[in-house]
Amino acid sequence: MKIIDIAFKDLTRSTRNMFLIGMTLAAPLLITGLMYFAFGSMTSGDVSMTAIKVGVVNADVMPADSPLEVPLGGNIRSMFFDDSVKSWITANDYADEAAVRAAVDAQEIGVAVIIPKTFTEEYLAGKMDTAITILQDPTLTIGPTVVRDMVTSLLDGVAGSGITYKIVNERMEANGQALGPTGISVLFERYSKWYTDFQRAMFHTPEKAALVVTSPAAGGESSDSTQNMMGLVMVGQLIFFSFFTGAYAMMSILEESEEGTLARMFTTPTNRTTILAGKFLAVFLTVILQGVVLMIAGRFIFNINWGEPDSVALGLFGQMFAAVGLGVLLVSFIKTSKQAGPVFGGGLTMLGMISGLFTTNIQLPDAFNAMGNFTPQGWVLKAWRLSLAGQPAIEMLVPFIVLVVMGIVMFAFGAMMFRKRFA
Amino acid sequence: MRIIDLALKDLSQIFRDKRSLLFLVAMPIIFTLFMGFAYKGGGDDAISDNRIPLGWVNNDPDGLLSGQLFEMLSNSDSIRIVELTSGAMEAAVRKGEVAGALIVPVGYSEQVSAGRAADAQLTLVADLNSAQGQSLFQSLRTPVTQLMSSMEIARLSAETVGKPNDASELNETFASASQAWTEADSASLIKVEMAVAEDEGQWYGDNPYNQASPGILVQFAIFGLVTSGQILVQERKTRTLQRMMSTSMRAWEIVAGHILAMFVVVFMQEALLVIFGQFVLGVNYAREPLGTLFISIALGLWIASMGLLIGVLVKEDSQVILFALMAMFLFSAMGGTWFPLEATGGAFAAIGKMMPSAWAMSGYQNILIRGLGLESAWMPALVLLAYALGFFALAVWRFRKMAV
């Protein structure tokens, strides 16, 4: 009963501590929210991404006796001014190369497309040495890639028409036939229509495209990429701050020691093991409470599917064992509460970093990922990744057992240090 | 003189605490290396196969198109094929053994050859929000387009020569069209050029640390306020501040002394990280030393002003950590120090670009990546100074209220 009383007193103290509330609940939700604000709307299909500012210099002219209705440069230019791309591309014409280069230098636009005067003529003549220049702000990557893909796609369409003509002509000759001007025109028209429809499906009606994309299902229900990303971001924050909570909640021992209340408690008939057990229980409960609150918040705010209930339970308890164990161990080395900031801030941030908590959505080299095998946070992340991927509890047994063992070892060592200190 | 004395007192307090070095020097250096490593993705390892693993689930094993697609993907520079069964595919994707899986449906070749492509779609199982998932999708678009184009050309040709139902004619033409696609090279008709204000040979803008180094510099300069902010709190808690206020030292001198110390700490940290970036990571800060200096000074003043504000706002040591962490997360994430703002949503980027941290990043990037000169540093430095003034005014206002 005394253990519960002490734990309850510590829990009450924790809930009154605005700093602890801030670090346990506000900070992880704030960071996850920032990521959601930054990337969420883009991936949920709402094209509110940063508009790509494109400058176009189209000097291309129609060569004499061209079979085309419009020079290729005209088609490329039109692509950037099309109504269908207006929500995410802002295009402007520039008079010449110097003007558009100046605009990129002044960061008025991010990408410039410069089409030379003889592009169509050279292309139709089969000369491949007259290129379209894509000039880009070197700090950008996404916008220029999109622009390059668009131009390549259009040129592929043109190349496809050329291949169509070549192949059909060859087959006609092989079959003792000849392709007349009307036949060529019909052929180009049919291929162009097919290619336009194909590309339109790829970009505008992906469910009808030749290549459809589906997200891996999580927890038995379908998920979208935003949920997957937010799940991983939130898991990183959940783990990082739960370890912080485990350590900070243990600080009550040091604070009480500095305030003298611990010494007064030791003079009461309550034995020291009971006092320490009560304090440890409070930390266990705080970490569990934090995990549950954050997971519920993640579910309702960011629509995160944490996985199967039994897998989630294993993840949460594994995280608790490891966080409390490490917290007890860290605090057992600290002599005053003033030392806690650097030790917690520095130590836990470093461990979080090498465990990959801040890079959950980045593919890192295998050698780097292997470092997570040596940290409790790395194993917690492994467990949560499995749970988020909808894996059954049986798949989580290995990380769970590792976490329990790690937690017990760290806890036992820390508790031994405390017993020595307060003996 | 008294201002300098006070600043020296603060500095001596900060540097006496050896743990300060952890925040001010060791952690930012380790983080810079880490982030650079992450951006680089281990790409310089010539021995390892860095192609993205793609699970290949072929339910059309003897098909003409599936065979051709397999050949095209096997020769890809960006994709590494991992053959899987349908049953093993889901687990492989979930466990991250492959970045995604491409499923070829039953009867795919027959359906597409018969002009019923809508009934036989290839399915890519991948998380499009992950970098690898997105790369897979982009890498698959061209081969799938060429595959479908080859079949469309074959069908058009067979119809034109009057043999629409002749399988051998269709197969032969499909093979010819596929071969023609391998020879067509639209990419060679596009020349990508970086808008840099110096010779390409002198340009170091593709160094992955160009984002990580200034990003971490800005981030840890903010987080480093923990050490200096705590001094103000300690002065208040121990009543040293109140005793100082009862001396002939004026309030503005006390504020100036503290902010000077904070500025010196931040500036020294910046200088160390700039030197580390220059000589160890090859980040060319020195190509425009004055520009780097002006931006670093302006950044230091803004952060010191913010540190002063935090110092007068909070009551406990622990609150300094919370406020410094919050400031770090907010300004770092929104200012584009963790990831380029280009990659974020429109509203986020628009707000982010107004952040002082974004102006600092822009100033450094003008020098490091865009290869611009001293003139490109003025605007970011002026904006940072304006922010510094704003935060300083707020801190002084709060300090006066506190003193009254």
Side-chain angles (χ1 to χ4, degrees):
Chain A
M1 191 61 199
K2 279 184 184 170
I3 293 176
I4 294 170
D5 286 342
I6 293 168
F8 185 73
K9 188 267 296 173
D10 275 13
L11 267 178
T12 311
R13 190 174 163 144
S14 293
T15 53
R16 285 182 191 150
N17 185 335
M18 288 315 290
F19 171 71
L20 196 59
I21 299 287
M23 289 303 283
T24 52
L25 301 176
L29 286 173
L30 173 78
I31 296 166
T32 312
L34 272 175
M35 295 297 161
Y36 187 75
F37 182 36
F39 302 110
S41 58
M42 285 171 62
T43 52
S44 59
D46 167 20
V47 189
S48 60
M49 61 180 280
T50 309
I52 304 166
K53 292 180 184 171
V54 181
V56 182
V57 178
N58 179 21
D60 193 22
V61 290
M62 182 79 99
D65 62 31
S66 164
L68 304 173
E69 289 174 9
V70 184
L72 293 173
N75 285 327
I76 293 170
R77 180 200 166 275
S78 305
M79 195 166 54
F80 295 108
F81 290 85
D82 195 87
D83 282 344
S84 62
V85 302
K86 274 189 176 158
S87 58
W88 52 282
I89 286 186
T90 310
N92 282 299
D93 283 314
Y94 285 81
D96 53 35
E97 190 173 331
V100 85
R101 281 184 181 276
V104 176
D105 286 342
Q107 294 166 47
E108 290 164 10
I109 54 173
V111 195
V113 180
I114 304 164
I115 308 160
K117 189 178 176 184
T118 56
F119 182 72
T120 302
E121 188 183 342
E122 303 273 315
Y123 185 84
L124 292 177
K127 296 176 185 168
M128 306 294 274
D129 48 0
T130 303
I132 293 169
T133 301
I134 293 180
L135 179 72
Q136 67 167 89
D137 180 331
T139 63
L140 305 180
T141 52
I142 297 170
T145 305
V146 170
V147 169
R148 195 175 63 226
D149 281 352
M150 288 172 75
V151 176
T152 307
S153 165
L154 191 134
L155 292 176
D156 270 346
V158 178
S161 295
I163 292 170
T164 306
Y165 172 72
K166 178 176 171 279
I167 298 293
V168 174
N169 208 28
E170 279 173 10
R171 297 307 304 158
M172 294 285 278
E173 281 177 11
N175 283 279
Q177 300 171 14
L179 196 60
T182 316
I184 295 174
S185 175
V186 170
L187 205 60
F188 278 160
E189 199 177 307
R190 284 187 63 184
Y191 182 81
S192 298
K193 182 177 182 317
W194 172 84
Y195 188 77
T196 309
D197 290 346
F198 182 85
Q199 291 296 327
R200 188 165 289 147
M202 195 77 108
F203 288 103
H204 300 296
T205 49
E207 71 282 359
K208 293 179 184 167
L211 176 66
V212 290
V213 184
T214 60
S215 278
E221 59 183 79
S222 65
S223 66
D224 64 26
S225 51
T226 309
Q227 287 170 25
N228 294 341
M229 184 199 77
M230 294 315 299
L232 287 171
V233 169
M234 182 110 193
V235 152
Q237 300 309 314
L238 172 69
I239 300 169
F240 177 71
F241 285 100
S242 74
F243 276 78
F244 201 94
T245 304
Y248 195 83
M250 273 305 298
M251 281 279 298
S252 71
I253 289 190
L254 289 184
E255 283 166 359
E256 290 208 33
S257 173
E258 285 168 3
E259 289 162 4
T261 47
L262 195 65
R264 283 201 289 278
M265 277 173 83
F266 286 159
T267 62
T268 65
T270 311
N271 71 49
R272 289 171 191 217
T273 307
T274 306
I275 294 170
L276 288 178
K279 296 207 162 288
F280 293 151
L281 179 63
V283 182
F284 273 104
L285 293 174
T286 308
V287 174
I288 282 285
L289 195 64
Q290 177 199 23
V292 170
V293 171
L294 284 178
M295 288 174 69
I296 292 171
R299 177 69 189 170
F300 286 105
I301 300 172
F302 307 116
N303 202 22
I304 295 167
N305 180 5
W306 295 96
E308 302 290 335
D310 44 0
S311 301
V312 171
L314 283 184
L316 195 59
F317 279 99
Q319 175 177 291
M320 179 200 69
F321 276 111
V324 174
L326 186 64
V328 172
L329 185 68
L330 278 178
V331 176
S332 72
F333 285 108
I334 294 173
K335 292 202 169 58
T336 66
S337 57
K338 194 170 178 293
Q339 291 175 339
V343 172
F344 293 172
L348 294 177
T349 308
M350 290 281 283
L351 282 171
M353 182 187 76
I354 62 172
S355 306
L357 301 186
F358 307 119
T359 44
T360 46
N361 278 296
I362 299 176
Q363 186 66 27
L364 293 168
D366 290 343
F368 188 90
N369 289 332
M371 286 198 283
N373 291 331
F374 300 98
T375 65
Q377 287 95 329
W379 280 96
V380 181
L381 183 59
K382 267 186 222 289
W384 278 123
R385 275 187 191 278
L386 289 170
S387 181
L388 280 174
Q391 293 292 307
I394 190 82
E395 291 280 337
M396 296 184 57
L397 275 182
V398 172
F400 178 72
I401 291 168
V402 171
L403 287 170
V404 172
V405 171
M406 276 182 165
I408 289 172
V409 170
M410 291 186 294
F411 183 89
F413 193 78
M416 189 183 74
M417 299 277 284
F418 274 120
R419 284 185 63 83
K420 271 188 183 174
R421 187 190 299 184
F422 298 121
Chain B
M1 191 60 200
R2 280 184 293 196
I3 294 171
I4 294 170
D5 286 340
L6 184 58
L8 285 174
K9 185 275 297 175
D10 280 4
L11 288 173
S12 121
Q13 256 181 296
I14 291 167
F15 293 122
R16 257 200 317 239
D17 187 353
K18 297 288 181 290
R19 284 165 316 209
S20 305
L21 296 176
L22 180 75
F23 281 107
L24 299 176
V25 183
M27 278 184 61
I29 285 176
I30 293 166
F31 257 83
T32 307
L33 290 170
F34 166 74
M35 293 306 283
F37 193 50
Y39 285 126
K40 200 160 51 174
D44 56 354
D45 185 357
I47 300 164
S48 64
D49 185 349
N50 290 317
R51 292 179 301 169
I52 307 166
L54 170 72
W56 171 260
V57 183
N58 190 1
N59 296 312
D60 181 34
D62 302 318
L64 177 70
L65 273 81
S66 53
Q68 176 65 26
L69 183 59
F70 182 79
E71 193 184 323
M72 289 162 95
L73 297 179
S74 300
N75 295 327
S76 168
D77 293 332
S78 54
I79 290 172
R80 174 168 55 86
I81 293 260
V82 179
E83 291 188 63
L84 296 170
T85 60
S86 297
M89 181 274 293
E90 206 173 317
V93 173
R94 282 180 172 174
K95 288 178 180 172
E97 292 164 3
V98 289
L102 186 66
I103 304 171
V104 184
V106 176
Y108 175 68
S109 301
E110 197 184 326
Q111 298 270 35
V112 176
S113 302
R116 294 193 298 271
D119 298 332
Q121 294 168 298
L122 296 166
T123 303
L124 173 66
V125 182
D127 177 6
L128 274 194
N129 203 53
S130 72
Q132 283 208 326
Q134 190 58 245
S135 301
L136 264 187
F137 179 60
Q138 298 300 336
S139 304
L140 281 171
R141 265 178 37 199
T142 299
V144 169
T145 302
Q146 293 182 356
L147 182 82
M148 300 301 282
S149 165
S150 297
M151 182 43 75
E152 182 61 21
I153 291 168
R155 289 178 56 247
L156 278 175
S157 175
E159 275 181 35
T160 312
V161 298
K163 298 178 179 175
N165 299 316
D166 185 335
S168 66
E169 173 69 25
L170 203 68
N171 292 356
E172 193 179 335
T173 317
F174 174 76
S176 302
S178 300
Q179 179 60 32
W181 266 118
T182 62
E183 290 158 8
D185 186 10
S186 300
S188 71
L189 290 168
I190 298 169
K191 187 175 77 177
V192 178
E193 197 183 312
M194 299 289 174
V196 287
E198 56 185 17
D199 293 341
E200 215 163 299
Q202 302 289 312
W203 187 60
Y204 297 96
D206 53 353
N207 183 343
Y209 292 106
N210 282 343
Q211 165 77 23
S213 175
I216 298 294
L217 186 151
V218 173
Q219 178 181 339
F220 274 88
I222 301 172
F223 194 42
L225 291 176
V226 170
T227 48
S228 39
Q230 276 180 333
I231 289 177
L232 264 175
V233 175
Q234 284 298 319
E235 277 192 1
R236 282 221 309 279
K237 278 173 81 174
T238 56
R239 305 267 167 195
T240 313
L241 188 65
Q242 286 82 341
R243 285 200 289 276
M244 263 198 289
M245 304 272 273
S246 67
T247 66
S248 58
M249 204 168 176
R250 293 177 195 161
W252 73 266
E253 289 176 316
I254 298 172
V255 170
H258 285 307
I259 202 168
L260 179 62
M262 287 182 187
F263 171 74
V264 170
V265 170
V266 173
F267 187 74
M268 282 173 70
Q269 185 191 29
E270 287 173 353
L272 263 172
L273 292 177
V274 164
I275 292 166
F276 179 77
Q278 178 72 40
F279 292 105
V280 180
L281 307 175
V283 179
N284 201 1
Y285 289 102
R287 65 166 293 282
E288 191 48 70
L290 274 180
T292 301
L293 181 69
F294 288 149
I295 295 165
S296 301
I297 289 175
L299 175 65
L301 285 171
W302 163 59
I303 291 176
S305 305
M306 186 165 63
L308 188 72
L309 183 62
I310 290 175
V312 295
L313 279 177
V314 303
K315 294 189 173 96
E316 298 290 335
D317 284 335
S318 57
Q319 289 178 339
V320 177
I321 301 171
L322 181 64
F323 274 58
L325 268 177
M326 289 295 178
M328 180 185 83
F329 286 136
L330 187 72
F331 287 114
S332 299
M334 295 205 74
T337 71
W338 291 351
F339 39 76
L341 287 176
E342 177 208 15
T344 65
F348 187 95
I351 297 168
K353 278 176 185 167
M354 290 189 275
M355 293 280 164
S357 41
W359 281 96
M361 285 298 288
S362 172
Y364 284 124
Q365 286 179 336
N366 283 347
I367 294 166
L368 300 173
I369 303 178
R370 295 190 179 99
L372 298 173
L374 179 61
E375 72 286 350
S376 71
W378 288 123
M379 182 54 88
L382 282 174
V383 174
L384 282 166
L385 286 175
Y387 269 107
L389 205 63
F391 275 83
F392 181 73
L394 272 176
V396 171
W397 168 74
R398 179 73 195 160
F399 187 79
R400 280 191 177 152
K401 270 190 82 174
M402 198 173 72
V404 174

